[in-house]
Amino acid sequence: MRTFWAALPTEGRWLLSTAAIQTLGRGLTLPFTIIYLHEVRGFDLGLAGALMSIIAVTGLVVTGPGGTLIDRYGARRVLLAGLVAMIAGCTLLAFAASPVVAAVALVLVGVNFGVSWPGFNALIATVVDGELRQQYFGVNFALVNLGIGVGGIIGGFFVDVHQPVTFTAIFLADAASAVVPMALLLGPLRHIRTHADPEAPDAPVDGYRQILRRPAVLSLTLLTFVAVFIGYGQMEAGFPAYARQVSGVSTQVIGFSFAVNTAVIVLLQFAVLKLITGRRRTRVMQVMALIWATSWVLLGLTGLLPDSLAAAIGVLAFMGVFAFGETMLQPTVPAIYNDLASDRNRGRYNAINAAAFQGGAIAGPIAAGLLLGEGRQGWFIGAMVAGSLGVCALALVLERRVPAAANGVPAGDETVAID
């Protein structure tokens, strides 16, 4: 960690040192928003769930235009606009007494959700490059999880459905947490330029169609979608539903499993980064896919011993193994996207990454609901395992298409890539 920190430029240190603080507010509200809408504001549970989906849908709609704006005007300006929307949305949500007001608030939050991922990734890729970039994405992921996890713990002890003011407080705190990245963008990071090179203003800029025609980008985007579909897309729907309905574990066990997830990521990310440094990123993805397949098999086995201690242990083990795989995904995929991109289209590349992630996160719960709602628990686990093996196969295809440098291949060990 000391070596990594010493190698970072000053701007990278500023970004990294505030990562956990920036996400602390998100952790305060993330697990409790639907509870707030349903139990505090009295909205029907179905309506509350539909309102929650507004964030992801808005984010998906905004991501494409956001990437274009990042390439045209720079990540800094777009991020500042997104953070203003975030502050307004969280503040409005804190006092939302009607579904219409809540919907407007969640649209504003979704706007920030849609531009923050490509914006901050473009910012990171501008500040750091090479192998350091991959390490940065991994460390940043661990710190983001730490901030969200600590925020969730604090929120769990603080909020009380019988005292609505406690929910008002956490949403206002979430709004206040956006001031930290705003201060960075207006202060130490105000000179960072992420968009077009001013010395080559007439150079052609590839649009989304041209970028997606690149075989490496198309393969990487499909891999990202499938990985999120069978991974993150199940964390808020498929996994808890299976654990409750089939494994028969308590809500306390499910809650503790997310704490296990955060702990594994924070504790193992640095060790994993050391292991994968200098290795082909596509090979790391294959290992991750096999780890995820194993985790889903573990969860499936818990259904054979429902309402038992063994099932509870299995659920916790699933989340721990799954988190181990996460430590391999997050450093590699964003690094490949940004190594394929240039400063003239970095916003678009990161927007494609974000859109693939959001698409998988939206489609995953829908598929889980259909399968588990029809009582097809075995098919659900089978689909998750098959999807994991599909990610492994897609990583093999990607390895033939991605340039060696973007795949983390050391100099002198290059292979031909179709691009």
Side-chain angles (χ1 to χ4, degrees):
M1 183 60 185
R2 284 195 298 269
T3 303
F4 168 74
W5 184 258
L8 284 178
T10 302
E11 294 85 354
R13 295 179 185 179
W14 274 112
L15 273 171
L16 198 62
S17 62
T18 58
I21 300 173
Q22 293 178 38
T23 55
L24 185 66
R26 184 65 179 143
L28 283 171
T29 60
L30 181 63
F32 309 110
T33 303
I34 194 166
I35 296 173
Y36 167 72
L37 295 173
H38 177 52
E39 298 189 38
V40 177
R41 293 304 180 186
F43 302 161
D44 177 79
L45 188 58
L47 175 60
L51 287 170
M52 287 293 294
S53 69
I54 289 176
I55 298 176
V57 173
T58 303
L60 184 60
V61 171
V62 168
T63 293
T68 302
L69 291 173
I70 289 168
D71 287 335
R72 183 170 298 176
Y73 300 108
R76 179 175 165 274
R77 293 179 180 178
V78 176
L79 284 171
L80 285 170
L83 289 167
V84 169
M86 178 71 178
I87 292 172
C90 288
T91 303
L92 193 61
L93 192 59
F95 303 99
S98 71
V100 173
V101 175
V104 172
L106 292 168
V107 165
L108 291 170
V109 173
V111 168
N112 181 66
F113 185 71
V115 301
S116 62
W117 187 328
F120 275 110
N121 276 4
L123 207 62
I124 291 167
T126 302
V127 172
V128 295
D129 56 14
E131 199 65 45
L132 192 65
R133 180 182 290 166
Q134 174 175 290
Q135 295 173 4
Y136 189 104
F137 279 122
V139 175
N140 185 70
F141 175 63
L143 292 175
V144 165
N145 273 271
L146 178 62
I148 292 175
V150 172
I153 293 171
I154 295 172
F157 281 108
F158 179 73
V159 297
D160 184 348
V161 294
H162 301 296
Q163 299 185 45
V165 67
T166 60
F167 286 88
T168 300
I170 63 170
F171 285 110
L172 292 178
D174 194 3
S177 68
V179 175
V180 175
M182 286 188 73
L184 286 179
L185 294 170
L186 293 171
L189 306 183
R190 65 185 182 278
H191 299 303
I192 295 180
R193 185 183 182 90
T194 61
H195 49 307
D197 183 356
E199 297 181 2
D202 298 324
V205 179
D206 290 339
Y208 285 111
R209 185 178 299 179
Q210 289 78 14
I211 294 172
L212 286 170
R213 282 177 177 171
R214 297 183 65 182
V217 176
L218 191 59
S219 296
L220 181 58
T221 301
L222 181 59
L223 184 153
T224 303
F225 174 84
V226 177
V228 175
F229 179 88
I230 56 98
Y232 295 105
Q234 305 304 328
M235 289 302 99
E236 294 183 13
F239 158 65
Y242 188 94
R244 282 291 293 157
Q245 297 175 13
V246 184
S247 307
V249 302
S250 66
T251 54
Q252 287 79 10
V253 170
I254 295 174
F256 190 65
S257 71
F258 281 92
V260 169
N261 179 275
T262 299
V264 169
I265 291 170
V266 173
L267 293 174
L268 294 187
Q269 186 68 81
F270 295 99
V272 170
L273 283 171
K274 185 176 181 180
L275 288 173
I276 69 176
T277 297
R279 302 183 186 276
R280 295 175 189 267
R281 292 164 180 164
T282 49
R283 304 286 172 87
V284 175
M285 292 179 193
Q286 292 169 46
V287 174
M288 176 219 73
L290 294 176
I291 290 172
W292 276 6
T294 302
S295 71
W296 285 113
V297 170
L298 283 173
L299 184 64
L301 292 175
T302 64
L304 302 177
L305 297 168
D307 300 304
S308 66
L309 177 61
I313 294 173
V315 166
L316 297 177
F318 158 80
M319 194 60 101
V321 175
F322 181 86
F324 180 42
E326 288 182 79
T327 63
M328 300 180 188
L329 177 68
Q330 291 299 334
T332 51
V333 169
I336 294 178
Y337 271 108
N338 282 282
D339 283 350
L340 290 172
S342 69
D343 287 342
R344 298 192 65 85
N345 54 25
R346 196 172 301 283
R348 290 177 175 87
Y349 271 84
N350 282 293
I352 291 171
N353 179 20
F357 193 103
Q358 291 161 4
I362 293 171
I366 295 173
L370 292 173
L371 289 172
L372 294 176
E374 294 293 326
R376 301 179 184 272
Q377 296 90 346
W379 282 97
F380 171 73
I381 295 296
M384 297 303 106
V385 174
S388 300
L389 297 178
V391 171
C392 192
L394 286 168
L396 285 171
V397 174
L398 178 63
E399 186 167 313
R400 296 177 53 201
R401 295 178 168 182
V402 70
N407 200 16
V409 178
D413 188 23
E414 299 183 356
T415 55
V416 176
I418 303 171
D419 196 13

